[in-house]
Amino acid sequence: MDKQSKIYVAGHRGLVGSAIWNNLKQRGYTNLVGRTHQELDLTNQQAVKDFFDQERPDGVVLAAAFVGGIMANSLYRADFIMQNMLMQCNVIGESYRHGVEKLLFLGSTCIYPKNAPQPMKEDCLLTSPLEYTNEEYAIAKIAGLKMCESYNLQYGTNYIAVMPTNLYGPGDNFHLENSHVMPAMMRKVYLAKLIHDGDWDAIARDLDIRPVEGINGSAPRDTIIAILRSYGISDNKVTLWGTGTPLREFLWSEDMADASVHVLLNVDFKDIIGIEKYSSVHYGAATDGAVDRNHSAGRGGAIPALGEIRNCHINVGTGKELTIRELSELVVKAVGFEGKVEFDASKPDGTMRKLIDVEKLHRLGWTHKVELEEGVGRLFDWYRQSLA
């Protein structure tokens, strides 16, 4: 795609989507299209069709998703599988019907089995059971990457799926009910510090911007103290879920955006499977490179000339990990918290280890830039600025 190509970024206001949007603009790709959820409900098939009829994008980045942490995954299991499946089916289906040149699908490393060998290579997909607490989200994302893979094999499309590790960065979700581990931890530590400092003006600003279960900064102080205590936040003390021993990998969202745009602009399906003759199998003697929409040598899930092809997605991460307890120490340092952090072992840990193998990504020409300690400090700076 050239710099005049029209690129639709689904989820352009989200953590990763906004970073991808900005990365594309910085590279000179200014013909970008975005719609908020209020403007376009991606679970509505007719609305998505009407959008593609009107805009006819050359490229699509599918960064929109229904997401959340371990608590949200446990509470809203039906929403996690249904909403994500609907969005994926609608966007990928209309991309094919409208001849989109390139599609990038963003998934998650929760697609891998709970007890997968570490670090997790792309080939360990579907080799054993998933982690129960995020099974529905994982199944939806597996379906999405398989849609991309299957459209490529049957129709010769160029749809690429990337599976990022745990992400954090500007625009992160700090709502205590459904945020991921790092922003939730950071907000808890910050609020516990504010309670100890007696800075109730700052606490009120925080709750006005991000209410907790409908409680904002104008609520009585006793009500605020009670609701924060229910989330493990008290005077100079924070209680976090689990034992603190699970290992996690984290990637700065702007690094993820850079990796995504690198793949979108420089990596094709044939590069991932490492078989140059893939193009000739699908495109044949056509001189204009147009995809044959009516015939495929690969019906049934494989191209006989190439053998079985699967696990064509790309892991995106750092290849580095630390424990949740070690993460809490980095957060405490960034916030300047001098209180106590405890772990409630009666609460679930989730998957004990989720380190991914990033050899394929490195081979395709990209490595991360922001190390975790620097990134945690950057995230806290962004969070404080969001409260100004």
Side-chain angles (χ1 to χ4, degrees), residues 139-200:
I139 288 171
K141 289 301 177 181
I142 292 169
L145 74 86
K146 283 295 182 182
M147 285 182 222
C148 293
E149 187 178 282
S150 300
Y151 269 87
N152 292 342
L153 293 174
Q154 183 170 343
Y155 296 117
T157 51
N158 200 11
Y159 300 167
I160 313 297
V162 291
M163 299 296 125
T165 188
N166 300 291
L167 301 174
Y168 69 105
D172 221 329
N173 173 14
F174 284 80
H175 290 275
L176 296 179
E177 298 101 305
N178 59 8
S179 62
H180 286 123
V181 59
M182 190 189 300
M185 181 188 294
M186 186 172 286
R187 188 180 182 194
K188 288 178 179 182
V189 169
Y190 179 58
L191 286 169
K193 180 179 185 298
L194 292 180
I195 293 172
H196 182 69
D197 294 344
D199 193 345
W200 287 95

Side-chain angles (χ1 to χ4, degrees), residues 1-8 24 27-33 55-59 101 265:
M1 289 186 292
D2 58 36
K3 292 182 179 178
Q4 285 69 50
S5 298
K6 180 183 283 190
I7 302 174
Y8 167 46
L24 283 165
R27 292 176 185 242
Y29 289 80
T30 57
N31 191 8
L32 306 179
V33 180
E55 294 292 346
R56 298 195 171 273
D58 303 299
E101 176 185 342
L265 301 180

Side-chain angles (χ1 to χ4, degrees), residues 219-289:
R221 190 170 297 184
D222 288 348
T223 302
I224 292 173
I225 290 173
I227 192 67
L228 294 182
R229 186 181 295 119
S230 72
Y231 285 89
I233 305 162
S234 56
D235 184 348
N236 230 25
K237 179 181 173 182
V238 172
T239 303
L240 303 175
W241 277 28
T243 62
T245 58
L247 290 156
R248 289 292 181 270
E249 174 184 13
F250 295 91
L251 179 67
W252 183 245
S253 60
E254 292 174 334
D255 269 357
M256 174 57 196
D258 193 62
S260 298
V261 175
H262 173 80
V263 170
L264 180 69
L265 301 180
N266 301 298
V267 178
D268 294 323
F269 185 61
K270 62 181 175 60
D271 302 320
I272 297 171
I273 62 177
I275 302 175
E276 292 296 331
K277 65 183 178 180
Y278 168 79
S279 295
S280 64
V281 170
H282 278 294
Y283 301 127
T287 56
D288 61 358

Side-chain angles (χ1 to χ4, degrees), residues 17 32 94 161 296 315 353 373:
L32 306 179
E94 292 305 325
S296 168
N315 288 339
R353 194 180 182 204
E373 185 168 1

Side-chain angles (χ1 to χ4, degrees), residues 4 34 39 48 52 94 110-111 123 142 211 225 240 249 251 259 282 299 303 343 352 366 370:
Q4 285 69 50
E39 294 168 331
V48 175
F52 273 82
E94 292 305 325
C110 72
I111 63 170
D123 288 346
I142 292 169
I225 290 173
L240 303 175
E249 174 184 13
L251 179 67
H282 278 294
R299 296 190 186 280
I303 300 173
F343 288 85
M352 291 305 294
W366 189 90
V370 178

